[in-house]
Amino acid sequence: MILNTGARTDTVQYFSKWLLKRFEEGFVLTRNPLFPNKVTRYELSPDKIDAVMFCSKNYAPILPRLHEITDKYRTYFHSTITAYGKDVEPGVPSVDESIGTLKELEKIVGRRKIAWRYDPLLLTAAYTKERLLDTFAYMAEKLAPHIDRCIFSFVEMYKKLQTNMPELIPLTETDKDCLAEGLGKIAQKYGIYLQTCGTNGDWSRYGIHPSGCATLEIFGRANGCKFRDIKHRGLREGCHCIESRDIGAYDTCLNGCKYCYANKSPEKARENYRLHDPDSPLLIGYPQRDDILIQGNQKSFLMPQARQISLFDDRP
């Protein structure tokens, strides 16, 4: 099973103590977003987890204790650093601070386990195509020696963005092509492997690789192990990632990103955050008497022989 810690919320930035406690105790509970009374239990022993996938905009809170996970589990890290400031991402550190944190992360896990996410790409009167490309070039020069690849996507125009971010300028196909061409040229200049995430369209003419940012091939290469040849069904249209199990919860992230798909509103996230207890097996609140507890399906994707290899032996 691939364990996903960061698709629904920035678990690392705001819930690191809870996450480390879950690994320490060896299990976690997660509520079904559609049927809240259904609670799934996942075992977190190393023999039950093929790899732990992280995604965060700030790894600083967990760095001092990250070894408690990396010493025992195969891992891969997505680090999101965008061109936007506090007007769009209120709770996210500055670009330079984020670059510094990524470099510290690389010292612990190595560049082969880190993907820099420069997404989503969006346009406003303040964030023009030129600004997005100039900022990408600035970051690319500094990050190229410290990352495995860079991943980008174009903002999805969710209906709630009309309320949360009315200043958005819809991207035209010409806009997308211009951005893709510019990103491709910059990535080539700095030797960065550039790919899309959940984005339809072919930009291979600009040296850009297709979607699939959480594949078994990537996890295997990063951790020196072999996975079975399984078709990656993806999580949505345009996605080619392997299925994973997310232990986070929607409407809990305090980053306050205006384009966020995982929060209904910053107020709702703050309300739920007040219900968080680092000692609870659930991210938010506690198990209830009428909850229906289900044992999660934790099938392994590893090749049979790979499961017998020590984690210390299969590091690159």
Side-chain angles (χ1 to χ4, degrees):
M1 180 186 100
I2 305 298
L3 186 76
N4 193 324
T5 70
R8 296 174 182 169
T9 190
D10 198 331
T11 309
V12 167
Q13 181 162 0
Y14 297 106
F15 307 102
S16 280
K17 184 177 178 181
W18 173 84
L19 183 64
L20 290 162
K21 184 73 174 288
R22 291 300 91 227
F23 279 104
E24 180 183 338
E25 295 193 350
F27 78 99
V28 66
L29 301 182
T30 180
R31 289 195 181 278
N32 187 310
L34 300 178
F35 305 98
N37 68 317
K38 292 186 178 180
V39 176
T40 303
R41 174 180 170 125
Y42 295 112
E43 308 303 323
L44 299 184
S45 57
D47 63 311
K48 295 290 186 180
I49 304 297
D50 292 337
V52 182
M53 179 181 170
F54 294 85
C55 188
S56 177
K57 294 181 178 178
N58 183 12
Y59 282 94
I62 203 172
L63 289 183
R65 295 181 59 192
L66 186 59
H67 66 90
E68 295 177 24
I69 299 175
T70 57
D71 285 351
K72 299 176 182 178
Y73 299 84
R74 302 172 187 87
T75 53
Y76 197 79
F77 300 81
H78 285 198
S79 182
T80 302
I81 312 177
T82 70
Y84 317 119
K86 298 292 184 181
D87 55 329
V88 176
E89 300 175 339
V92 178
S94 68
V95 166
D96 287 323
E97 186 178 351
S98 298
I99 289 173
T101 298
L102 186 147
K103 290 180 179 179
E104 291 301 311
L105 174 65
E106 189 232 351
K107 291 177 183 177
I108 298 171
V109 305
R111 64 177 293 185
R112 291 177 66 179
K113 292 186 178 181
I114 302 176
W116 164 34
R117 298 192 68 103
Y118 190 68
D119 68 338
L121 294 178
L122 56 84
L123 297 180
T124 69
Y127 295 99
T128 62
K129 294 191 293 291
E130 292 75 20
R131 183 172 177 180
L132 295 183
L133 292 174
D134 288 345
T135 308
F136 181 74
Y138 173 81
M139 294 189 210
E141 181 181 12
K142 296 178 181 297
L143 291 176
H146 308 284
I147 58 172
D148 174 56
R149 64 190 61 218
C150 179
I151 301 161
F152 78 92
S153 66
F154 298 111
V155 67
E156 293 191 33
M157 298 299 289
Y158 298 102
K159 187 175 181 179
K160 62 184 174 183
L161 288 186
Q162 297 174 11
T163 301
N164 294 350
M165 201 172 182
E167 67 269 31
L168 269 181
I169 300 172
L171 284 160
T172 66
E173 291 305 312
T174 300
D175 291 331
K176 292 179 181 179
D177 191 76
C178 177
L179 286 167
E181 181 179 14
L183 293 174
K185 288 180 178 178
I186 296 167
Q188 184 176 22
K189 176 181 178 180
Y190 293 106
I192 294 175
Y193 182 100
L194 182 64
Q195 68 170 92
T196 56
C197 171
T199 296
N200 292 316
D202 180 5
W203 287 286
S204 57
R205 59 190 177 279
Y206 303 132
I208 298 172
H209 303 270
S211 297
C213 53
T215 67
L216 295 178
E217 289 84 358
I218 292 174
F219 295 147
R221 177 180 174 274
N223 291 280
C225 61
K226 293 184 178 180
F227 288 92
R228 290 183 282 129
D229 185 13
I230 299 173
K231 185 177 180 181
H232 295 66
R233 294 181 294 178
L235 306 175
R236 63 187 188 279
E237 184 180 359
C239 176
H240 302 288
C241 296
I242 193 65
E243 63 181 272
S244 61
R245 298 290 180 262
D246 197 301
I247 59 174
Y250 293 118
D251 295 312
T252 60
C253 184
L254 301 185
N255 281 332
C257 301
K258 296 178 73 173
Y259 54 77
C260 182
Y261 65 87
N263 280 354
K264 292 185 178 69
S265 69
E267 294 75 23
K268 183 65 174 177
R270 287 192 290 268
E271 177 185 328
N272 284 332
Y273 186 79
R274 287 193 286 269
L275 302 176
H276 171 67
D277 180 349
D279 293 324
S280 172
L282 285 164
L283 184 68
I284 301 299
Y286 305 91
Q288 301 298 310
R289 183 175 298 177
D290 60 347
D291 284 340
I292 301 172
L293 185 63
I294 303 168
Q295 185 66 43
N297 179 12
Q298 298 188 233
K299 63 181 179 181
S300 176
F301 301 122
L302 284 167
M303 294 283 284
Q305 61 269 32
R307 301 184 69 180
Q308 306 300 319
I309 299 175
S310 164
L311 284 174
F312 295 97
D313 293 337
D314 62 24
R315 288 176 178 172

